[in-house]
Amino acid sequence: MINYYGPDGSQQSDSVGVFPTVSYEEVIDDSGYTTVFEKELDFGVNTFDDPMIGHLSQGTFEDKIVIVGSSMPTLRDFYSTPFAGDEKLLPGYQIHANAIQTILDSNYIERFRGWYSLLIMLVFCFLITLTNRFANATYGWVLALFLGGGYMFLTYWVFVNLNIMMFLTGPMLAVFVTQVGMVSYEYYVEQKEKRRIRGMFSSYVSPELVNQMIESGEEPQLGGEEKYITAFFSDIVSFSTFSEKLEAKELVQLINEYLSAMTEILNTREGTLDKYIGDAIVSFFGAPVFVKDHALQACISSQLMHKKLAELRTKWEEDGWPEIVVNMQHRIGINTGEMVTGNMGSSRRFNYTMMGDNVNLAARCESGAKQYGVFTMVTEATKQEAEKFGNDCVFRLLDNIVVKGRTQPVKVYEIADLREDADDKLFECINFYEEGMELYFNQEWDEAISKFKKSAELERHEPNPSNIFIERCEMMKEDPPGDDWNGVFIMKSK
């Protein structure tokens, strides 16, 4: 390769000086040749053999290598070189001059060995890959720019000072392609992870919660994490009777329609489906993504589910389903407290679920609602937590009980209705009922019975809490509990 010394007539070499250009007219202008210029002057100025100024006397060509070439544009003997681009081409004889001078000076350009360049490319690729994998794409781009810029400066310095030409395109492409490839790969992995999380939880939680989990960039803590959440249990009343009255195909159709409608409400209110146990729905609010008003959302969900079931009953009646289906009811139990959520099961098959004493208490509320003739029973913890975020639900105290399997008493409440749907009759009923409860806890049985009878007249359905407490007050009159009675009722069954 030619080691060019510079543009035409502007660069000098320390060992040989400039590459001078002598016009051919000056060479043929001797004493035997009269040029046009000499004719115009009327005297001869021989530029070649004049003893004072001629090239012979000056030694212009003495011990020199002379290249004869053309600079006429019409001959088109012009070419691009590293010092001459499209706007200023270099005459062909100048290229020969640079080539000859390169040989005379032994000023050769050496090529960088190919396997060295390959090694540099591999190192660059490795560094960028590690940076993107263990840091992030931002640091990867910074490193790519640093490596690319540093390598370009190195190739320039090595060429100028050591006459070594390093391969520039390969390493630069390696840096660029590796960085773009890693960013593309990380983007693909991120999208794949988003799809995995969305697919994993779309059957359990609402799309809004799934998107919140993905956008947060935080993996849900699977494998056992204690959280303050709300457990939710629902079950169809006397479902075994349905199995006796309906054919298997009809039963599956009915349950699928019911579960689809109820689960849609849970997802809409940011609940998480745990599992179906036959006709029963087990779910929770507040995990895997935190929902600050989880208790309120659970309470509202229960009432929306009751309203939806009423709509379904009307539809089923129009569709000609038997009376048992048209009169379907379900009961709901809710409790709020510390529970463990995570992937639980075997190493090959597991389920994202919840467990703990507070989960069992929610299940006891669902089954215990039957004893009070209500369809939704919640604990005091749920009521208090829900009321921190709004008064959307109308609560009334049911009892202070010790459920089966526990020793500590807990106050339980009915969600009578959503406040926006409650009428004056309901509030009047609850007012009489609460007055009766106060008398009941004070062991003023006759006065309590009087209040409960007034609330019983306003109750929406049979049986109801008012009638339950009328019977209990009658029983307490016959067998008084004693002065040390604390109002706790111990449930003997689940």
Side-chain angles (χ1 to χ4, degrees), residues 1 3 31 40 85 103 121 184 198 202 208 214 216 230 246 261 278 286 291 311 320 372 375 407 428 434 445 456:
M1 292 187 297
N3 193 350
S31 58
E40 292 176 352
I103 296 172
M121 292 168 63
S184 301
R198 185 176 286 111
S202 60
E208 291 78 9
I214 294 173
S216 67
T230 298
L246 300 177
V291 179
E311 295 175 6
Y372 295 91
F375 297 106
T407 58
E428 186 180 3
E434 290 179 345
W445 314 120

Side-chain angles (χ1 to χ4, degrees), residues 21 53 79 90 101 104 139 172 179 188 204-205 217 234 244 246 276 279 284 288 298 301 308 313 398 415 456 469:
T21 300
I53 63 171
Y79 305 92
L90 200 64
Q101 194 65 54
L104 294 176
Y139 288 102
M172 293 298 290
Q179 178 61 26
Y188 167 76
Y204 303 96
V205 298
S234 74
E244 298 174 359
L246 300 177
Y276 300 119
D279 62 297
F284 46 91
S301 295
K308 186 62 179 180
R313 287 197 299 266
L398 290 178
I415 304 180
F469 275 93

Side-chain angles (χ1 to χ4, degrees), residues 4-13 17-19 83 98:
Y4 288 90
Y5 286 81
D8 181 18
S10 65
Q11 186 81 13
Q12 291 187 357
S13 170
V18 235
F19 299 143
F83 289 99
N98 279 273

Side-chain angles (χ1 to χ4, degrees), residues 246-266:
L246 300 177
E247 295 181 0
K249 184 178 180 180
E250 294 177 326
L251 186 62
V252 170
Q253 178 185 349
L254 178 68
I255 291 303
N256 284 345
E257 185 174 7
Y258 166 79
L259 292 178
S260 297
M262 299 304 123
T263 305
E264 178 65 24
I265 293 174
L266 287 175

Side-chain angles (χ1 to χ4, degrees), residues 205 209-210 212-213 216 220 227 270 272 285-291 352:
V205 298
L209 275 181
V210 175
Q212 182 182 342
M213 292 165 57
S216 67
K227 288 186 175 182
E270 301 181 303
T272 300
F285 293 74
V289 175
F290 175 70
V291 179
Y352 187 77

